[in-house]
Amino acid sequence: MSHTTVQVQNVSLSFGGVKALTDVSITVSSDEIFAIIGPNGAGKTALLNCISGFYRPQVGEVYLYGKKITGLRPDRIARLGIARTFQNIGLYTGLSTLDNIMAARHVFMKQNFLTSALYFGWSRKEEIAHRKTVEEIIDFLEMQSIRKQIVGTLPYGLRKRVELGRALALEPKVLLLDEPMAGMTLEEKEDIARFILDVFEGQGDTYPDSPVLRDGVRSIVMIEHDMGVVMDLADRIAVLNFGRKIAEGTPAQIQSDPDVIKAYLGEPGQPG
């Protein structure tokens, strides 16, 4: 039975006199890939930022499993089970792939400075357990050959893959993906699409000891400009235009919606 994971209720967000979002509501169910599409400047990333706590809306509320999370700090929201990737990659470019993904595990670490420095007993066991999880994510995303490489030296497509790995290291129930395939080659897009589907469905037989890889994430909310990818992956789609939601439905419903066609193509007779 499907349950609501994320609910955005009548959210409005302004920066000075500029309205980024106006009265936007969406409901995301468990076992669902939910896509948010729209022209540039439509408010898509602003909506993701409201869900993940990077922005606090002036009006409206955001809920996770029925619990209000509006106004909570991003790290608190991450601990509750929401992880995200960014449109502009936000990795530690001077660290290796492994260290970037390991950095995300700090939210689960119980060791203090003294036990960490002395590396005694349970502190060492904790480090080993987190390292095992990270190595499984590296294996899952087929990044063994770059595990020790400095992220700043990697090509763009691989850096996007590392960022996905860092989000998975938070063991999210809900995964927010902001243009996960932007700037990628066709082959790289196919790889990322496969990883998204695999982590959504869970890989229990292959990774029985890794919670997020074994069970999969409950919901994925994805912003993506490649309409072919959206139509292939998404169960439902919301369309934003000038900060307002103008349509919501299945891929088939969205493809034939006149308001969506107008938002993307303009009015008939309008100059291109």
Side-chain angles (χ1 to χ4, degrees), residues 122-140:
W122 61 266
S123 177
R124 178 175 172 78
K125 289 178 182 175
E126 185 183 41
E127 172 84 12
I128 290 168
H130 288 302
R131 181 63 65 97
K132 182 176 185 291
T133 299
V134 168
E135 293 288 4
E136 286 175 333
I137 290 169
I138 288 172
D139 181 69
F140 169 71

Side-chain angles (χ1 to χ4, degrees), residues 138-177:
I138 288 172
D139 181 69
F140 169 71
L141 293 174
E142 299 171 7
M143 298 191 298
Q144 300 93 331
S145 63
I146 61 164
R147 59 191 292 279
K148 289 294 183 72
Q149 273 190 246
I150 300 300
V151 162
T153 68
L154 296 174
Y156 182 81
L158 285 177
R159 276 185 279 161
K160 295 282 276 190
R161 197 181 296 194
V162 175
E163 189 173 43
L164 176 58
R166 192 172 63 175
L168 294 178
L170 290 166
E171 297 183 9
K173 300 180 183 73
V174 178
L175 182 60
L176 310 179
L177 302 175

Side-chain angles (χ1 to χ4, degrees), residues 50 53 55-57 61 69-73 77:
C50 289
Y55 293 161
R56 181 169 187 170
E61 305 293 350
I69 60 171
T70 327
L72 294 182
R73 295 195 319 266
I77 290 174

Side-chain angles (χ1 to χ4, degrees), residues 10-245:
N10 307 114
V11 159
S12 294
L13 177 73
S14 297
F15 300 101
V18 179
K19 291 186 176 180
L21 296 168
T22 304
D23 197 30
V24 174
S25 297
I26 62 168
T27 300
V28 182
S29 300
S30 61
D31 305 318
E32 176 176 55
I33 297 178
F34 189 96
I36 302 169
I37 66 171
N40 287 329
K44 304 181 296 295
T45 296
L47 181 56
L48 239 57
N49 284 339
C50 289
I51 296 171
S52 58
F54 285 89
Y55 293 161
R56 181 169 187 170
Q58 286 88 10
V59 179
E61 305 293 350
V62 181
Y63 298 88
L64 177 65
Y65 289 108
K67 178 181 178 181
K68 187 167 78 169
I69 60 171
T70 327
L72 294 182
R73 295 195 319 266
D75 63 306
R76 177 70 181 135
I77 290 174
R79 284 185 176 90
L80 291 173
I82 294 180
R84 68 167 296 177
T85 65
F86 292 86
Q87 185 176 351
N88 300 312
I89 301 171
L91 297 168
Y92 301 114
T93 54
L95 298 180
S96 69
T97 295
L98 190 150
D99 288 338
N100 264 276
I101 299 174
M102 192 72 179
R105 299 293 297 173
H106 78 276
V107 299
F108 301 111
M109 293 183 182
K110 300 180 178 66
Q111 63 190 25
N112 60 37
F113 174 77
L114 181 61
T115 55
S116 178
L118 296 176
Y119 215 57
F120 279 140
W122 61 266
S123 177
R124 178 175 172 78
K125 289 178 182 175
E126 185 183 41
E127 172 84 12
I128 290 168
H130 288 302
R131 181 63 65 97
K132 182 176 185 291
T133 299
V134 168
E135 293 288 4
E136 286 175 333
I137 290 169
I138 288 172
D139 181 69
F140 169 71
L141 293 174
E142 299 171 7
M143 298 191 298
Q144 300 93 331
S145 63
I146 61 164
R147 59 191 292 279
K148 289 294 183 72
Q149 273 190 246
I150 300 300
V151 162
T153 68
L154 296 174
Y156 182 81
L158 285 177
R159 276 185 279 161
K160 295 282 276 190
R161 197 181 296 194
V162 175
E163 189 173 43
L164 176 58
R166 192 172 63 175
L168 294 178
L170 290 166
E171 297 183 9
K173 300 180 183 73
V174 178
L175 182 60
L176 310 179
L177 302 175
D178 194 349
E179 297 194 33
M181 302 178 198
M184 289 189 173
T185 66
L186 179 59
E187 185 179 358
E188 288 170 334
K189 286 183 180 182
E190 289 172 349
D191 285 339
I192 289 291
R194 174 166 54 88
F195 296 138
I196 289 170
L197 286 174
D198 283 350
V199 79
F200 180 63
E201 293 164 359
Q203 302 294 301
D205 293 340
T206 310
Y207 302 98
D209 299 323
S210 178
V212 67
L213 298 182
R214 179 189 65 214
D215 301 328
V217 297
R218 302 282 175 79
S219 305
I220 293 176
V221 182
M222 177 177 68
I223 295 172
E224 182 52 56
H225 279 292
D226 188 319
M227 287 300 102
V229 168
V230 170
M231 296 302 165
D232 283 346
L233 295 184
D235 298 298
R236 286 192 304 130
I237 302 168
V239 187
L240 300 185
N241 195 29
F242 296 111
R244 294 181 179 273
K245 187 176 79 172

